[in-house]
Amino acid sequence: MSEAPDVPAAADAVSAAPDGRPAEAQPRWRRDFPIDWPEDELVARRDFTKFLVLTSLAFVAGQAWIVFENLARRARGRPPVVRVASLDEVPEGSALVFDYPKPHDARILVRTGPTTCVAYGEKCTHLSCAVVPEPGAGRLHCPCHNGWFDLATGAPLAGPPRRPLERVLLERRGNDLYATGVEVRG
Amino acid sequence: MAVPADLEFFVDPSRCIGCQSCVAACSECDTHRGHSLIQLQYVDRRTSVQTLPVVCMHCDSPTCAEVCPADAIKRTGDGVVQSARKPRCIACSNCVLACPFGVPKMMAELSLMMKCDMCYDRTSAGLKPMCASVCPSGALTFTTRAEIERQRPRSADVNTFRFGGQTITTKVRMMVPREAAPEVLDVLSAMDERPEGAGDALDSVFEAL
């Protein structure tokens, strides 16, 4: 029974002003402070302040995180120095499997000459099979997929592996060999 | 998302049985969970059991928004007048005093005005508002115009109200008897109207006492 038109569903419907005049005839303040949500673009001071405070807090938290990370890295310190074997236990041309730095990190020590030794991670960089040293040929062989590594450097020579083996840093103290770190490469 | 244009809210006070279901359901609405914003009014408690559920009528020219000094009350494009924006509301109660239907509620503990927003989370997805979904007698109905005309052929709907010099058109529609349907509901003159005979009957009871 009412004469008012049906409420439009369009998103740009404009509220009728109390005096019933069209939007163009309304005073400026009515356009500045529209009742309709789609026309309202004002950012409230509280919203803006909240944005500033929260953003600043995020920056502060980020800085604190960087400081914390640096401290943690310092606390973690250097890798342990562990005695592997004496030179007498590894005759020239032979090899020895040891764990460094943790119990299940299998490494392989190869004595390549009278005074030279190399140590690598035992896991092939292709699919983690155990590599087999062949000191006579100067290579390491992975039997799973016929991969080959250079004994002097650990670099891949042939087969599926594309990355070099992990190298264990060795140090000789008197007649004993010590592992002092792990060099992860490529 | 917006409230579908073919779905309309119809309030039929003559069907209200005062069961308070809508009051309980209102506080379940996710836009204002825990706060019941619908008001169940007793029209004339001395002489009548008639009750009236008061939901926001969603005026085309919302008086609450007109008087808001903080620009906190907004009307979405589908004609729903939303509850006060929390970052803007300054809890001045201007809207509470200004609304001709008495809909906005001042939540003093929240420093926030809250009002019926037609369960915007539900109606904007095409669902019924909480109160209309539980009303057992159909006093609150959210449906299409064709359906309401089919169900209630003896009722017509009015969405124009007059409060003194102020005429208001609303999105929510009030059901009235079709045979006596007015163009405009003059609320102020209706406030002085008394049900015929009811007052006399009770007066005689009081005189006997």
Side-chain angles (χ1 to χ4, degrees):
Chain A
M1 292 296 110
S2 66
E3 291 174 343
D6 284 344
V7 176
D12 55 355
V14 177
S15 290
D19 58 9
R21 291 189 296 162
E24 299 78 39
Q26 295 299 324
R28 174 78 192 275
W29 64 265
R30 192 171 277 285
R31 274 172 282 151
D32 285 346
F33 299 99
I35 287 172
D36 291 281
W37 192 305
E39 273 84 55
D40 182 66
E41 291 166 349
L42 183 74
V43 178
R45 265 181 301 179
R46 284 189 205 181
D47 284 340
F48 183 61
T49 317
K50 197 183 283 182
F51 168 78
L52 285 185
V53 170
L54 290 178
T55 313
S56 307
L57 277 179
F59 277 118
V60 169
Q63 294 292 327
W65 176 249
I66 290 172
V67 170
F68 174 78
E69 274 290 296
N70 278 339
L71 289 177
R73 192 178 299 127
R74 199 167 299 168
R76 276 198 294 272
R78 303 177 61 80
V81 177
V82 176
R83 180 182 175 279
V84 178
S86 72
L87 276 177
D88 302 336
E89 296 171 46
V90 195
E92 195 176 333
S94 72
L96 180 77
V97 174
F98 64 101
D99 291 328
Y100 176 83
K102 289 182 181 156
H104 295 289
D105 297 335
R107 311 294 179 188
I108 188 160
L109 172 74
V110 185
R111 186 163 177 186
T112 51
T115 57
T116 53
C117 282
V118 288
Y120 298 105
E122 201 187 15
K123 281 182 185 173
C124 173
T125 54
H126 174 226
L127 285 177
S128 301
C129 288
V131 292
V132 178
E134 295 182 2
R139 291 184 297 198
L140 296 131
H141 180 226
C142 177
C144 287
H145 302 97
N146 201 23
W148 293 91
F149 296 92
D150 184 16
L151 187 59
T153 62
L157 294 176
R162 286 289 177 269
R163 289 166 292 143
L165 293 170
E166 289 179 4
R167 182 208 288 271
V168 178
L169 304 175
L170 291 174
E171 192 179 314
R172 187 176 158 194
R173 297 179 185 171
N175 206 28
D176 289 335
L177 286 170
Y178 285 82
T180 58
V182 178
E183 184 191 357
V184 180
R185 299 175 293 179
Chain B
M1 286 204 298
V3 177
D6 58 331
L7 292 174
E8 291 182 74
F9 202 133
F10 299 93
V11 179
D12 191 347
S14 67
R15 284 176 165 260
C16 181
I17 57 173
C19 67
Q20 308 261 3
S21 296
C22 51
V23 177
C26 185
S27 62
E28 300 285 328
C29 177
D30 280 333
T31 64
H32 48 83
R33 180 166 282 272
H35 301 282
S36 185
L37 303 178
I38 197 169
Q39 300 168 38
L40 194 71
Q41 304 286 355
Y42 293 85
V43 177
D44 185 358
R45 210 166 184 181
R46 179 167 169 236
T47 58
S48 164
V49 294
Q50 181 64 58
T51 48
L52 164 66
V54 178
V55 295
C56 179
M57 302 298 285
H58 300 286
C59 309
D60 289 347
S61 172
T63 313
C64 53
E66 292 286 346
V67 301
C68 181
D71 206 25
I73 303 174
K74 293 291 156 196
R75 181 172 171 270
T76 40
D78 45 18
V80 174
V81 183
Q82 301 288 340
S83 198
R85 301 293 91 204
K86 193 168 176 8
R88 297 185 181 183
C89 181
I90 57 174
C92 68
S93 291
N94 262 14
C95 49
V96 179
L97 300 171
C99 175
F101 300 100
V103 166
K105 276 187 173 179
M106 176 52 59
M107 298 294 175
E109 68 277 14
L110 301 175
S111 292
L112 176 68
M113 182 280 276
M114 293 173 84
K115 64 178 275 298
C116 159
D117 58 1
M118 214 193 252
C119 292
Y120 201 64
D121 60 329
R122 294 172 57 83
T123 48
S124 61
L127 297 171
K128 290 180 180 182
M130 290 303 291
C131 54
S133 69
V134 299
C135 183
S137 59
L140 298 161
T141 313
F142 187 73
T143 183
T144 59
R145 172 160 297 276
E147 181 65 14
I148 201 84
E149 282 173 356
R150 188 186 68 77
Q151 287 181 347
R152 303 183 193 171
R154 294 167 62 198
S155 293
D157 60 277
V158 172
N159 76 335
T160 310
F161 302 85
R162 185 174 294 143
F163 295 83
Q166 186 183 15
T167 303
I168 296 172
T169 50
T170 62
K171 177 179 172 67
V172 177
R173 286 158 184 273
M174 188 75 78
M175 302 301 284
V176 295
R178 185 177 286 278
E179 58 197 22
E183 289 283 325
V184 176
L185 278 178
D186 195 333
V187 181
L188 292 191
S189 67
M191 283 172 72
D192 297 329
E193 205 173 286
R194 311 286 294 181
E196 280 178 30
D200 298 341
L202 273 182
D203 284 347
S204 61
V205 172
F206 286 125
E207 279 167 20
L209 290 171

